[in-house]
Amino acid sequence: MFRIVSAVAFALSPVLSPTIAQDSAPSLTAKQAETVDGLIDAGLEDDIAWELLESLTTEIGPRLGGSEAEARAREWGVARLKSLGFRNVRIETFEMPYWSRISDSAEIVSPFSQPLTVTALGQSIATPPEGVSGEIARFETLPELVAAPLEGFEGKIIFVDEMMARTQDGSGYGVAVAKRTLAGAEAGKRGAVAALIRSAGTSGNRFAHTGKGVRGLGESAVPIAALANADADQVARALERADEPVVIRLKISVETRSATMSGNVIGEIPGKTDEIILVGGHLDSWDLGTGAVDDGVGVAITAAAAKLVGDLPGRPQRTIRVIMWGAEEVGLLGANAYAEKYADDLENHAVASESDFGAGRVYRFDTRFGEENLPKGAVMAGALRRLSIAPGHNQAFGGPDVTPLRARGVPVVSLSQSGWDYFDLHHTADDTIDKIDPEAVRQNVAAWAAFIYMASEMEGDFR
Amino acid sequence: MFRIVSAVAFALSPVLSPTIAQDSAPSLTAKQAETVDGLIDAGLEDDIAWELLESLTTEIGPRLGGSEAEARAREWGVARLKSLGFRNVRIETFEMPYWSRISDSAEIVSPFSQPLTVTALGQSIATPPEGVSGEIARFETLPELVAAPLEGFEGKIIFVDEMMARTQDGSGYGVAVAKRTLAGAEAGKRGAVAALIRSAGTSGNRFAHTGKGVRGLGESAVPIAALANADADQVARALERADEPVVIRLKISVETRSATMSGNVIGEIPGKTDEIILVGGHLDSWDLGTGAVDDGVGVAITAAAAKLVGDLPGRPQRTIRVIMWGAEEVGLLGANAYAEKYADDLENHAVASESDFGAGRVYRFDTRFGEENLPKGAVMAGALRRLSIAPGHNQAFGGPDVTPLRARGVPVVSLSQSGWDYFDLHHTADDTIDKIDPEAVRQNVAAWAAFIYMASEMEGDFR
């Protein structure tokens, strides 16, 4: 997941109360209700999502946006969607700038000489081969750095030691992303030679969390890297214990190219109409782990769920479009390319959603529907109750890759997952399949299959 | 900790039953019992051990045997022992061969190209700069490899995928060490170009566990490295999924020197006699973590406990010698140097023990005393009961660095700690202070202080 933009800032009371549904027109027919239950039963026994997840994370592994590995992942996606029976399977390519890590390291030079666990942030510029060294200037928070004078930090390394809060809904991440994307520019303004941040992540193990280090698509103002939480602690302790400046050396080597190819992989279950239910996950990952929770499992859940709906007799009412988004982590590039390509067709997008918050169970169903269509959301939420999913609010985020669609008025939903431990793994080398509970994946598949089916069959729209 | 040699193979019923003590002569005087309780009270409020641990792991960090960092750690030890009031503080140096890691990496070359998390094992020879590549030949266990023919593996990379068992008493480690120290020789015999093992460790996070890779002090027969558990899983899955050989490339660069200096740091609380109670932990660590659980905490616990005893009014009956062992991980070199230097003085060593099993609570008190002195062990165990420490057996290991002393007849004890999660951190980059519970450290300090005092004051010997 690249960023949670706005929805997480809300703390809304549930508005999708099922009582609304009882008083209002929309409801499922008996046959539809039976089909939903059958899909949930099938989802709870699904093995396809796990097979997709294991295949992607084993046979491709890390797949940085724009890399050769991501290209292999697209071929994988095409082959898998075809073999699952999807139609109109295709890659929609787009061009993008390329950045990749070659190597990164950091060490305390003095007084307590020792290596530190660090990772360069995405889009960081390189250091000279010998690295950059500087006295550490520590800030407790990003706002403290922003408020600091512009003079007095020349030649230093600015260190933003802000801790990320662990929350169920991932709401600690917004603050952490601000630190990650702004610290480099703030350091550059002050003539610092580099920026270090405490990782935007909650891992209690010694992993540094990477992620995009700048706003927009440019390069960072200074070399920027994230320390593992344990190493941020270590630097803070060193500053307390030293009776002289603490000097750190940072080395970053990167490869950049002005243009490379990426693409979105698409497959469809053609419906009776050309209205589209758009679901998916993003195919790219950061380079450190194998992209299991971020976002192999989202790709796997949505494809497996759509396949269950595709296996039903007859055509769905609407077309179900599964998309494996390209180059999400590095700036929602696949999302923007899609929104541009389909700019004139967005009216046909009935509802969109992405699974991109790991492999935790879905605990709440949120929508962003027009007021008059809220009862439909309540019907959907009601049908998901047997999966221990509660009705939610009507300010759904929908997932990072549907952000450009949401901004253009496409209704979205969120099958909100527990994110309590998601940021322990997020953007680290530790993002591997062994962390994932197959039963939780099945619960997700069941929920998505039920949602996709209901979204496809309900009359009228969600706007 | 370097190895658990023999004691862990036993599963003995407790022999230190307190009822023995009641029927036999030895017991504590009322004043001694009061002193023991006072030491336990003081231990449970101790902050010295934590300060030592934090200082060592922050101000020195990793301190490989024979390295410049270990030399700095010795200076640290001298300064700290002096400031805590120990007497006869000194470094007893010895010469040793030097091996250190420069860099290590591994990747699947084909068919599923991707990096793997790996660490070179101690004493591994280097690969050529471009690395060595070979088809993987996987063995489920070390015995399977040992039983395999000598032909048919030329040019391959032998992979021993044996899983380490998680146990309270660390007994899974013996089997894991056999794999770690023998796989290289077995691979070499068969003309393989390298050996890989599943880490000798239980981490469920993506850390490779290093450790000594050969028996004895020589270099390995072939380059040898350990994969993180997640990466061993990945290689096993790749072998299942590939329809062609899985080829891996391993690169290891090392520095070796025929001789460097190390040393044991010693401080004493002089007693009324020259009999010695020898306690300590090892000062060196592997290079990946900061050596918090292995074995900064053992150094800290024993020094803090001895200091509490030293703070009592008057001299102890016996001399309490605290030792910070050098170069334990790389082959018990400090232990052997000590046993040689004091070969003619071992009769004066009343009892010895090392704290080198992490920072878990002590749950059992084991001895290796002469039969007629078992009642003294029972008295000690009885006094530790309020710390939830049970009486144990009489086959105590005593700790790796007292092995040469134990072999020469010096009585030893073990304050046996829970090792359930010790091997999650052991020899990994994740061995850092944040994993340690200060309350468990205090329980250790209390137990060690009580033991040291009782061992010092009891009449007769423990042989």
Side-chain angles (χ1 to χ4, degrees):
Chain A
M1 192 186 71
F2 164 60
R3 52 175 178 173
I4 295 180
V5 181
S6 57
V8 295
F10 293 87
L12 297 165
S13 55
V15 297
L16 302 182
S17 161
T19 57
I20 296 177
Q22 285 163 15
D23 299 342
S24 308
S27 63
L28 301 176
T29 66
K31 185 155 168 37
Q32 286 173 336
E34 195 183 313
T35 302
V36 167
D37 270 343
L39 286 167
I40 289 177
D41 291 343
L44 291 175
E45 293 185 357
D46 172 73
D47 286 326
I48 292 172
W50 191 266
E51 160 55 24
L52 290 170
L53 171 65
E54 183 179 304
S55 173
L56 176 60
T57 57
T58 302
E59 297 173 27
I60 309 298
R63 44 199 183 277
L64 187 67
S67 69
E68 180 274 339
E70 197 201 26
R72 281 190 283 125
R74 286 193 292 280
E75 295 305 324
W76 172 92
V78 165
R80 289 313 181 111
L81 289 176
K82 283 184 178 170
S83 77
L84 288 172
F86 287 89
R87 307 286 292 277
N88 308 323
V89 175
R90 60 195 186 270
I91 299 172
E92 295 182 348
T93 57
F94 53 87
E95 207 177 79
M96 58 172 280
Y98 185 62
W99 176 97
S100 80
R101 176 191 334 274
I102 295 174
S103 63
D104 41 24
S105 64
E107 61 184 315
I108 300 180
V109 175
S110 66
F112 308 134
S113 168
Q114 61 189 282
L116 296 169
T117 297
V118 78
T119 185
L121 294 181
Q123 267 77 35
S124 175
I125 62 170
T127 66
E130 70 279 13
V132 293
S133 301
E135 175 185 342
I136 285 291
R138 176 179 176 273
F139 294 87
E140 193 87 34
T141 64
L142 176 69
E144 274 188 28
L145 167 58
V146 172
L150 292 177
E151 282 80 42
F153 301 98
E154 296 81 2
K156 295 186 179 179
I157 294 181
I158 282 179
F159 169 43
V160 184
D161 198 15
E162 191 170 286
M163 187 102 61
M164 176 173 159
R166 179 186 297 277
T167 60
Q168 165 95 348
D169 63 0
S171 52
Y173 189 52
V175 175
V177 167
K179 170 186 68 177
R180 199 179 68 203
T181 55
L182 296 176
E186 292 294 329
K189 273 189 218 170
R190 288 167 176 79
V193 293
L196 281 175
I197 61 166
R198 179 185 283 269
S199 280
T202 57
S203 180
N205 299 104
R206 201 174 177 192
F207 295 105
H209 299 247
T210 191
K212 197 158 172 295
V214 290
R215 281 228 197 274
L217 291 176
E219 292 187 330
S220 61
V222 294
I224 181 163
L227 291 167
N229 278 306
D231 295 78
D233 293 345
Q234 186 80 331
V235 171
R237 273 192 302 267
L239 287 164
E240 273 171 28
R241 286 175 171 272
D243 49 14
E244 57 183 288
V246 173
V247 175
I248 284 184
R249 179 182 297 127
L250 175 67
K251 288 188 197 179
I252 298 176
S253 171
V254 303
E255 178 193 354
T256 58
R257 294 200 298 273
S258 59
T260 185
M261 294 307 295
S262 184
N264 298 318
V265 179
I266 292 176
E268 292 172 351
I269 302 164
K272 294 174 187 158
T273 71
D274 57 2
E275 284 183 17
I276 291 163
I277 310 297
L278 186 73
V279 298
H282 67 83
L283 193 55
D284 66 310
S285 75
W286 279 104
D287 54 334
L288 302 179
T290 61
V293 305
D294 189 13
D295 182 32
V297 76
V299 166
I301 287 165
T302 50
K307 147 105 179 128
L308 289 180
V309 178
D311 286 348
L312 295 172
R315 286 195 163 206
Q317 196 61 30
R318 298 185 172 95
T319 292
I320 296 156
R321 179 175 289 174
V322 171
I323 181 160
M324 299 176 180
W325 300 97
E328 186 268 352
E329 298 289 4
V330 292
L332 300 183
L333 304 182
N336 290 328
Y338 183 93
E340 193 173 318
K341 183 178 174 81
Y342 292 93
D344 296 336
D345 195 39
L346 294 186
E347 279 299 314
N348 263 336
H349 284 63
V351 62
S353 188
E354 182 178 26
S355 172
D356 183 24
F357 200 57
R361 284 169 194 264
V362 179
Y363 70 95
R364 203 179 60 203
F365 180 74
D366 300 318
T367 58
R368 191 179 290 241
F369 289 174
E371 278 295 320
E372 63 270 38
N373 284 311
L374 282 181
K376 292 179 190 163
V379 170
M380 291 177 176
L384 296 174
R385 275 196 178 272
R386 61 172 278 217
L387 291 169
S388 301
I389 296 170
H393 55 64
N394 196 37
Q395 299 285 345
F397 172 53
D401 282 304
V402 303
T403 301
L405 306 180
R406 193 186 70 227
R408 289 163 178 79
V410 174
V412 301
V413 305
S414 281
L415 285 80
S416 298
Q417 294 168 270
S418 169
W420 189 252
D421 55 5
Y422 178 60
F423 291 102
D424 292 349
L425 304 172
H426 182 255
H427 296 189
T428 73
D430 205 26
D431 179 2
T432 52
I433 190 173
D434 49 296
K435 312 308 183 308
I436 297 182
D437 172 8
E439 290 307 319
V441 173
R442 291 192 180 100
Q443 190 254 13
N444 274 268
V445 173
W448 277 87
F451 157 68
I452 291 168
Y453 171 75
M454 291 187 283
S456 160
E457 302 305 314
M458 281 184 172
E459 289 184 12
D461 63 20
F462 306 102
R463 276 177 162 76
Chain B
M1 194 186 69
F2 164 58
R3 53 174 177 177
I4 295 180
V5 180
S6 56
V8 294
F10 294 87
L12 297 164
S13 55
V15 297
L16 302 181
S17 162
T19 57
I20 296 178
Q22 286 162 15
D23 298 342
S24 307
S27 64
L28 301 175
T29 66
K31 183 156 170 41
Q32 285 172 336
E34 195 183 313
T35 303
V36 167
D37 271 343
L39 286 168
I40 290 177
D41 291 342
L44 292 175
E45 293 185 357
D46 172 73
D47 287 325
I48 293 173
W50 191 266
E51 161 55 25
L52 290 170
L53 171 65
E54 183 178 305
S55 173
L56 176 60
T57 57
T58 302
E59 296 173 26
I60 309 296
R63 44 200 183 275
L64 188 67
S67 68
E68 180 274 337
E70 197 201 27
R72 280 190 284 126
R74 286 193 292 281
E75 295 305 325
W76 173 93
V78 165
R80 288 313 179 111
L81 288 176
K82 283 184 179 170
S83 77
L84 288 172
F86 288 88
R87 307 285 292 277
N88 308 322
V89 175
R90 60 196 187 269
I91 299 172
E92 296 182 349
T93 58
F94 54 88
E95 209 178 79
M96 58 171 280
Y98 185 62
W99 176 98
S100 79
R101 176 191 333 274
I102 294 174
S103 63
D104 42 24
S105 63
E107 61 184 315
I108 300 180
V109 175
S110 67
F112 307 134
S113 168
Q114 61 189 282
L116 296 169
T117 296
V118 78
T119 184
L121 295 181
Q123 267 76 35
S124 174
I125 62 171
T127 64
E130 70 278 12
V132 292
S133 300
E135 176 185 343
I136 284 291
R138 176 179 176 272
F139 294 88
E140 193 87 31
T141 65
L142 177 68
E144 274 188 28
L145 168 59
V146 172
L150 292 177
E151 282 80 41
F153 301 100
E154 297 80 2
K156 295 186 178 179
I157 294 180
I158 282 180
F159 170 42
V160 184
D161 197 15
E162 192 171 286
M163 188 102 62
M164 177 173 159
R166 179 185 298 276
T167 61
Q168 165 97 345
D169 63 359
S171 52
Y173 189 52
V175 175
V177 167
K179 170 186 70 177
R180 199 179 68 203
T181 55
L182 295 176
E186 292 294 328
K189 273 189 215 170
R190 288 168 176 78
V193 295
L196 282 175
I197 61 167
R198 179 186 283 268
S199 279
T202 57
S203 179
N205 298 104
R206 201 174 179 192
F207 296 105
H209 299 247
T210 192
K212 200 159 169 295
V214 290
R215 282 227 196 274
L217 292 176
E219 292 188 331
S220 62
V222 294
I224 181 163
L227 291 167
N229 278 305
D231 295 79
D233 293 346
Q234 186 80 330
V235 171
R237 274 193 301 267
L239 287 165
E240 272 171 28
R241 287 175 170 273
D243 49 14
E244 57 183 288
V246 173
V247 176
I248 284 184
R249 179 181 297 129
L250 176 67
K251 288 187 198 178
I252 297 176
S253 171
V254 303
E255 178 193 354
T256 59
R257 294 200 298 273
S258 58
T260 185
M261 293 308 294
S262 185
N264 298 318
V265 179
I266 292 176
E268 291 172 351
I269 302 164
K272 293 174 188 159
T273 72
D274 56 2
E275 284 184 16
I276 291 163
I277 310 296
L278 186 71
V279 299
H282 67 82
L283 194 55
D284 66 308
S285 74
W286 279 105
D287 55 335
L288 302 179
T290 61
V293 304
D294 190 12
D295 183 33
V297 77
V299 166
I301 287 166
T302 51
K307 148 100 178 134
L308 289 181
V309 178
D311 285 348
L312 295 173
R315 286 194 166 207
Q317 197 61 30
R318 299 186 171 93
T319 293
I320 296 156
R321 180 175 288 173
V322 171
I323 181 161
M324 301 177 180
W325 301 96
E328 186 267 353
E329 298 290 3
V330 293
L332 300 184
L333 304 182
N336 290 329
Y338 183 93
E340 193 174 318
K341 182 178 176 82
Y342 291 93
D344 297 335
D345 195 40
L346 295 186
E347 279 300 314
N348 263 336
H349 284 63
V351 62
S353 189
E354 182 179 25
S355 172
D356 183 23
F357 200 56
R361 283 168 194 264
V362 179
Y363 70 95
R364 202 178 62 202
F365 180 74
D366 300 318
T367 59
R368 191 179 291 239
F369 289 175
E371 277 295 319
E372 64 269 39
N373 284 312
L374 283 181
K376 291 178 191 163
V379 170
M380 291 177 176
L384 297 174
R385 274 194 178 276
R386 62 171 277 217
L387 291 169
S388 301
I389 296 171
H393 56 63
N394 195 37
Q395 298 285 346
F397 172 53
D401 282 305
V402 303
T403 301
L405 306 180
R406 194 185 70 228
R408 289 163 177 81
V410 174
V412 301
V413 305
S414 281
L415 284 80
S416 298
Q417 295 168 271
S418 170
W420 188 251
D421 55 5
Y422 178 58
F423 291 102
D424 292 349
L425 304 172
H426 182 255
H427 296 189
T428 72
D430 205 25
D431 178 3
T432 52
I433 191 172
D434 48 296
K435 313 307 184 307
I436 296 183
D437 172 9
E439 290 307 318
V441 173
R442 291 192 180 101
Q443 188 254 14
N444 274 267
V445 172
W448 277 87
F451 156 69
I452 291 168
Y453 171 75
M454 291 186 283
S456 160
E457 302 306 314
M458 280 185 173
E459 290 185 12
D461 64 19
F462 305 102
R463 275 173 162 77

